[in-house]
Amino acid sequence: MARLQLFAFEIATDSERKINGILRAKGVDPDEMTQLQYFHQQANLQRDLILRHVVPQVQPETLPVFLAPEFFFKWRDGLPYDRATFFNAIDYLKALSAEFPDVLWIIGTVWWAEPHASGALMVHNSALILQGGVVLHSWQKERLSGIDGLRRGPEFWDREDAQAARILARSQIPFFDARLPDGDSLQCGIEICLDHLTLNGPPPSPGVLRQHYLAAEPDPDQGAGVDVHILTAAGMPMQPENVVARRGGLFLRCDGGRGARRSECLRIGRDNGISAAQALRRWTIAPAAVPHQVVGNDPDNRIAIYDPVALGAPGG
């Protein structure tokens, strides 16, 4: 039976002040670094937590998951990283991941931009998932929020460009497989903040992961949901009607938003009187919180360590 343990980096990412303060406390001056040097320092914060708190607690036959919030990787002034920094930094992330190959490492998101023919910068918000020294998956947020920090005029959102939107619609898939210690895998789905919300209509627009799952599994008698639904956010609580985890699966969340409840790990129950596929499509859940402890006294800079939890049998 598959087992998973969540380690959530509970850090405020609603502005750059918290991470800048942490680095300065370590004797590192953000104002004296290039973009790439600053990105490396941010990545090292997560690496150090993984080596200190995750690797020593890894249990046999259990998948350790380290999850950080949305906007963890912004430039020191809250502006987006440039394209070269983003792509060059990926090699550094892969090298770090190779130091703890069994850990499923979800770094949060990177706020980055690239030049556009219009003269403005096209901005992206990308989640990266690594395991074993490779990038397992990436996902670019679909929906822009008014609090994301986009500077209208010099910047615009990638989905607002018709060509970029078409490419992303054809190429973006929010599902990936995470390797388990026994060589098997878990099907995971990822969302970023506003993508998880039902938008008012008419007609209402459900969460992005829910929409993608139903498009991939249109038969109402097939497809019970993903094993693990992951939400990295900066101000988005769980929306029960948009949880795509199957019966016996898990919902994982880490949130850097101002005043947000920072993280949760929930085992998902659904109606047991019908098939698993039909139970998913009722879009009601009975969540059960997994116990956890926190390490650190600052609620805006600490790690939450959840108990290992066994997933229910698929289709159960």
Side-chain angles (χ1 to χ4, degrees):
M1 183 176 293
R3 285 166 51 90
L4 179 150
Q5 185 172 16
L6 173 63
F7 300 80
F9 191 1
E10 298 192 337
I11 183 169
T13 56
D14 56 287
S15 81
E16 67 278 9
R17 290 190 298 272
K18 175 57 73 171
I19 292 178
N20 282 342
I22 294 170
L23 293 178
R24 287 193 173 96
K26 291 177 174 288
V28 178
D29 187 350
D31 295 327
E32 295 182 353
M33 287 184 282
T34 65
Q35 278 201 356
L36 189 58
Q37 289 170 334
Y38 187 79
F39 193 107
H40 286 185
Q41 291 294 331
Q42 288 175 301
N44 290 346
L45 293 177
Q46 295 194 25
R47 184 271 314 271
D48 292 347
L49 285 177
I50 292 171
L51 292 178
R52 186 181 309 125
H53 297 290
V54 180
V55 172
Q57 296 202 45
V58 172
Q59 299 189 17
E61 307 305 318
T62 300
L63 173 66
V65 177
F66 184 89
L67 176 59
E70 182 188 22
F71 297 134
F72 186 90
F73 288 93
K74 276 190 172 183
W75 180 218
R76 65 186 175 208
D77 50 10
L79 297 179
Y81 281 108
D82 62 38
R83 186 180 189 276
T85 298
F86 174 60
F87 282 97
N88 287 330
I90 289 174
D91 285 336
Y92 188 69
L93 292 171
K94 291 192 292 187
L96 295 185
S97 172
E99 297 180 25
F100 34 84
D102 296 327
V103 177
L104 182 66
W105 182 21
I106 305 151
I107 70 166
T109 70
V110 183
W111 184 250
W112 64 282
E114 57 186 326
H116 188 265
S118 66
L121 290 174
M122 182 165 64
V123 176
H124 315 276
N125 191 13
S126 301
L128 296 178
I129 302 100
L130 297 98
Q131 189 179 32
V134 301
V135 177
L136 277 187
H137 199 67
S138 66
W139 171 255
Q140 288 184 197
K141 187 178 181 181
E142 289 195 3
R143 300 167 173 172
L144 176 70
S145 170
I147 63 172
D148 283 355
L150 188 83
R151 300 175 300 155
R152 286 291 178 190
E155 299 172 352
F156 70 95
W157 186 236
D158 53 15
R159 306 276 173 168
E160 296 168 353
D161 178 80
Q163 182 178 1
R166 285 194 298 270
I167 293 171
L168 289 169
R170 290 197 300 266
S171 61
Q172 287 274 275
I173 302 172
F175 309 108
F176 66 94
D177 289 337
R179 185 187 73 252
L180 290 167
D182 62 3
D184 206 348
S185 63
L186 290 175
Q187 185 191 34
C188 304
I190 188 164
E191 281 182 311
I192 302 171
C193 205
L194 189 62
D195 288 352
H196 185 56
L197 188 67
T198 298
L199 302 182
N200 293 329
S205 180
V208 167
L209 189 62
R210 171 176 165 174
Q211 292 187 50
H212 278 270
Y213 191 84
L214 292 179
E217 296 284 0
D219 186 340
D221 294 319
Q222 298 293 324
V226 297
D227 295 312
V228 184
H229 183 155
I230 300 162
L231 176 62
T232 179
M236 180 57 59
M238 180 192 69
Q239 306 296 308
E241 78 279 7
N242 288 324
V243 171
V244 186
R246 64 173 174 82
R247 186 163 58 203
L250 296 175
F251 177 85
L252 313 180
R253 185 179 66 89
C254 189
D255 197 313
R258 182 176 302 171
R261 180 179 179 183
R262 289 284 177 238
S263 71
E264 57 192 335
C265 176
L266 303 172
R267 185 166 181 178
I268 301 302
R270 296 188 184 271
D271 192 335
N272 287 317
I274 54 178
S275 73
Q278 292 171 338
L280 173 74
R281 286 160 177 81
R282 289 192 174 180
W283 302 110
T284 58
I285 60 172
V290 176
H292 72 286
Q293 59 179 329
V294 294
V295 178
N297 297 320
D298 183 351
D300 291 335
N301 177 28
R302 63 187 185 184
I303 186 168
I305 302 174
Y306 287 80
D307 290 353
V309 58
L311 282 72

PDB file of all heavy atoms in Angstrom, residues 15-30:
ATOM      1  N   SER A  15       5.048  38.948  -0.108  1.00  0.00           N
ATOM      2  CA  SER A  15       5.986  39.976  -0.535  1.00  0.00           C
ATOM      3  C   SER A  15       7.381  39.374  -0.422  1.00  0.00           C
ATOM      4  O   SER A  15       7.571  38.281   0.119  1.00  0.00           O
ATOM      5  CB  SER A  15       5.878  41.233   0.321  1.00  0.00           C
ATOM      6  OG  SER A  15       6.582  41.086   1.537  1.00  0.00           O
ATOM      7  N   GLU A  16       8.361  40.122  -0.922  1.00  0.00           N
ATOM      8  CA  GLU A  16       9.739  39.643  -0.891  1.00  0.00           C
ATOM      9  C   GLU A  16      10.403  39.875   0.465  1.00  0.00           C
ATOM     10  O   GLU A  16      11.529  39.420   0.703  1.00  0.00           O
ATOM     11  CB  GLU A  16      10.561  40.326  -1.993  1.00  0.00           C
ATOM     12  CG  GLU A  16      10.769  41.827  -1.798  1.00  0.00           C
ATOM     13  CD  GLU A  16       9.593  42.665  -2.266  1.00  0.00           C
ATOM     14  OE1 GLU A  16       8.527  42.098  -2.596  1.00  0.00           O
ATOM     15  OE2 GLU A  16       9.740  43.901  -2.289  1.00  0.00           O
ATOM     16  N   ARG A  17       9.750  40.565   1.385  1.00  0.00           N
ATOM     17  CA  ARG A  17      10.399  40.989   2.624  1.00  0.00           C
ATOM     18  C   ARG A  17      10.851  39.820   3.493  1.00  0.00           C
ATOM     19  O   ARG A  17      11.932  39.875   4.100  1.00  0.00           O
ATOM     20  CB  ARG A  17       9.455  41.895   3.422  1.00  0.00           C
ATOM     21  CG  ARG A  17       9.231  43.263   2.789  1.00  0.00           C
ATOM     22  CD  ARG A  17       8.497  44.204   3.735  1.00  0.00           C
ATOM     23  NE  ARG A  17       7.166  43.700   4.063  1.00  0.00           N
ATOM     24  CZ  ARG A  17       6.068  43.960   3.345  1.00  0.00           C
ATOM     25  NH1 ARG A  17       6.161  44.694   2.257  1.00  0.00           N
ATOM     26  NH2 ARG A  17       4.894  43.487   3.705  1.00  0.00           N
ATOM     27  N   LYS A  18      10.038  38.789   3.592  1.00  0.00           N
ATOM     28  CA  LYS A  18      10.386  37.678   4.489  1.00  0.00           C
ATOM     29  C   LYS A  18      11.651  36.969   4.020  1.00  0.00           C
ATOM     30  O   LYS A  18      12.582  36.750   4.811  1.00  0.00           O
ATOM     31  CB  LYS A  18       9.218  36.701   4.581  1.00  0.00           C
ATOM     32  CG  LYS A  18       9.512  35.431   5.389  1.00  0.00           C
ATOM     33  CD  LYS A  18       9.955  35.713   6.809  1.00  0.00           C
ATOM     34  CE  LYS A  18       8.831  36.176   7.695  1.00  0.00           C
ATOM     35  NZ  LYS A  18       9.250  36.248   9.125  1.00  0.00           N
ATOM     36  N   ILE A  19      11.712  36.600   2.743  1.00  0.00           N
ATOM     37  CA  ILE A  19      12.891  35.885   2.252  1.00  0.00           C
ATOM     38  C   ILE A  19      14.115  36.785   2.302  1.00  0.00           C
ATOM     39  O   ILE A  19      15.211  36.342   2.682  1.00  0.00           O
ATOM     40  CB  ILE A  19      12.639  35.334   0.837  1.00  0.00           C
ATOM     41  CG1 ILE A  19      11.587  34.211   0.906  1.00  0.00           C
ATOM     42  CG2 ILE A  19      13.939  34.812   0.213  1.00  0.00           C
ATOM     43  CD1 ILE A  19      11.217  33.604  -0.426  1.00  0.00           C
ATOM     44  N   ASN A  20      13.974  38.070   1.944  1.00  0.00           N
ATOM     45  CA  ASN A  20      15.106  38.990   2.051  1.00  0.00           C
ATOM     46  C   ASN A  20      15.617  39.047   3.490  1.00  0.00           C
ATOM     47  O   ASN A  20      16.833  39.054   3.742  1.00  0.00           O
ATOM     48  CB  ASN A  20      14.703  40.390   1.592  1.00  0.00           C
ATOM     49  CG  ASN A  20      14.644  40.518   0.078  1.00  0.00           C
ATOM     50  OD1 ASN A  20      15.196  39.693  -0.649  1.00  0.00           O
ATOM     51  ND2 ASN A  20      13.959  41.542  -0.403  1.00  0.00           N
ATOM     52  N   GLY A  21      14.693  39.090   4.459  1.00  0.00           N
ATOM     53  CA  GLY A  21      15.086  39.148   5.861  1.00  0.00           C
ATOM     54  C   GLY A  21      15.813  37.889   6.309  1.00  0.00           C
ATOM     55  O   GLY A  21      16.789  37.961   7.072  1.00  0.00           O
ATOM     56  N   ILE A  22      15.340  36.736   5.848  1.00  0.00           N
ATOM     57  CA  ILE A  22      15.998  35.469   6.206  1.00  0.00           C
ATOM     58  C   ILE A  22      17.418  35.443   5.669  1.00  0.00           C
ATOM     59  O   ILE A  22      18.366  35.046   6.370  1.00  0.00           O
ATOM     60  CB  ILE A  22      15.184  34.278   5.658  1.00  0.00           C
ATOM     61  CG1 ILE A  22      13.826  34.185   6.356  1.00  0.00           C
ATOM     62  CG2 ILE A  22      15.962  32.972   5.826  1.00  0.00           C
ATOM     63  CD1 ILE A  22      12.883  33.192   5.711  1.00  0.00           C
ATOM     64  N   LEU A  23      17.591  35.876   4.427  1.00  0.00           N
ATOM     65  CA  LEU A  23      18.933  35.867   3.831  1.00  0.00           C
ATOM     66  C   LEU A  23      19.857  36.850   4.551  1.00  0.00           C
ATOM     67  O   LEU A  23      21.030  36.539   4.808  1.00  0.00           O
ATOM     68  CB  LEU A  23      18.848  36.194   2.347  1.00  0.00           C
ATOM     69  CG  LEU A  23      18.148  35.139   1.470  1.00  0.00           C
ATOM     70  CD1 LEU A  23      18.082  35.592   0.012  1.00  0.00           C
ATOM     71  CD2 LEU A  23      18.851  33.792   1.575  1.00  0.00           C
ATOM     72  N   ARG A  24      19.336  38.021   4.886  1.00  0.00           N
ATOM     73  CA  ARG A  24      20.174  38.998   5.593  1.00  0.00           C
ATOM     74  C   ARG A  24      20.596  38.463   6.963  1.00  0.00           C
ATOM     75  O   ARG A  24      21.721  38.710   7.422  1.00  0.00           O
ATOM     76  CB  ARG A  24      19.431  40.321   5.725  1.00  0.00           C
ATOM     77  CG  ARG A  24      19.328  41.091   4.408  1.00  0.00           C
ATOM     78  CD  ARG A  24      18.875  42.537   4.617  1.00  0.00           C
ATOM     79  NE  ARG A  24      18.945  43.285   3.370  1.00  0.00           N
ATOM     80  CZ  ARG A  24      17.912  43.479   2.553  1.00  0.00           C
ATOM     81  NH1 ARG A  24      16.716  43.007   2.875  1.00  0.00           N
ATOM     82  NH2 ARG A  24      18.076  44.162   1.431  1.00  0.00           N
ATOM     83  N   ALA A  25      19.689  37.738   7.628  1.00  0.00           N
ATOM     84  CA  ALA A  25      20.032  37.150   8.920  1.00  0.00           C
ATOM     85  C   ALA A  25      21.135  36.106   8.802  1.00  0.00           C
ATOM     86  O   ALA A  25      21.852  35.827   9.766  1.00  0.00           O
ATOM     87  CB  ALA A  25      18.793  36.531   9.565  1.00  0.00           C
ATOM     88  N   LYS A  26      21.287  35.542   7.609  1.00  0.00           N
ATOM     89  CA  LYS A  26      22.356  34.574   7.346  1.00  0.00           C
ATOM     90  C   LYS A  26      23.636  35.259   6.883  1.00  0.00           C
ATOM     91  O   LYS A  26      24.611  34.587   6.528  1.00  0.00           O
ATOM     92  CB  LYS A  26      21.898  33.566   6.293  1.00  0.00           C
ATOM     93  CG  LYS A  26      20.799  32.614   6.764  1.00  0.00           C
ATOM     94  CD  LYS A  26      20.363  31.696   5.619  1.00  0.00           C
ATOM     95  CE  LYS A  26      19.383  30.634   6.106  1.00  0.00           C
ATOM     96  NZ  LYS A  26      20.047  29.609   6.934  1.00  0.00           N
ATOM     97  N   GLY A  27      23.621  36.589   6.835  1.00  0.00           N
ATOM     98  CA  GLY A  27      24.795  37.318   6.397  1.00  0.00           C
ATOM     99  C   GLY A  27      24.897  37.500   4.904  1.00  0.00           C
ATOM    100  O   GLY A  27      25.969  37.849   4.388  1.00  0.00           O
ATOM    101  N   VAL A  28      23.797  37.292   4.191  1.00  0.00           N
ATOM    102  CA  VAL A  28      23.773  37.430   2.741  1.00  0.00           C
ATOM    103  C   VAL A  28      22.982  38.680   2.391  1.00  0.00           C
ATOM    104  O   VAL A  28      21.841  38.834   2.829  1.00  0.00           O
ATOM    105  CB  VAL A  28      23.127  36.191   2.087  1.00  0.00           C
ATOM    106  CG1 VAL A  28      23.052  36.370   0.582  1.00  0.00           C
ATOM    107  CG2 VAL A  28      23.903  34.928   2.440  1.00  0.00           C
ATOM    108  N   ASP A  29      23.567  39.581   1.623  1.00  0.00           N
ATOM    109  CA  ASP A  29      22.898  40.826   1.261  1.00  0.00           C
ATOM    110  C   ASP A  29      22.253  40.684  -0.116  1.00  0.00           C
ATOM    111  O   ASP A  29      22.956  40.605  -1.130  1.00  0.00           O
ATOM    112  CB  ASP A  29      23.903  41.980   1.233  1.00  0.00           C
ATOM    113  CG  ASP A  29      23.228  43.333   1.027  1.00  0.00           C
ATOM    114  OD1 ASP A  29      22.010  43.351   0.713  1.00  0.00           O
ATOM    115  OD2 ASP A  29      23.905  44.361   1.188  1.00  0.00           O
ATOM    116  N   PRO A  30      20.915  40.640  -0.190  1.00  0.00           N
ATOM    117  CA  PRO A  30      20.250  40.495  -1.493  1.00  0.00           C
ATOM    118  C   PRO A  30      20.610  41.588  -2.487  1.00  0.00           C
ATOM    119  O   PRO A  30      20.599  41.358  -3.703  1.00  0.00           O
ATOM    120  CB  PRO A  30      18.758  40.540  -1.134  1.00  0.00           C
ATOM    121  CG  PRO A  30      18.694  40.085   0.279  1.00  0.00           C
ATOM    122  CD  PRO A  30      19.942  40.641   0.913  1.00  0.00           C
TER     123      PRO A  30
END
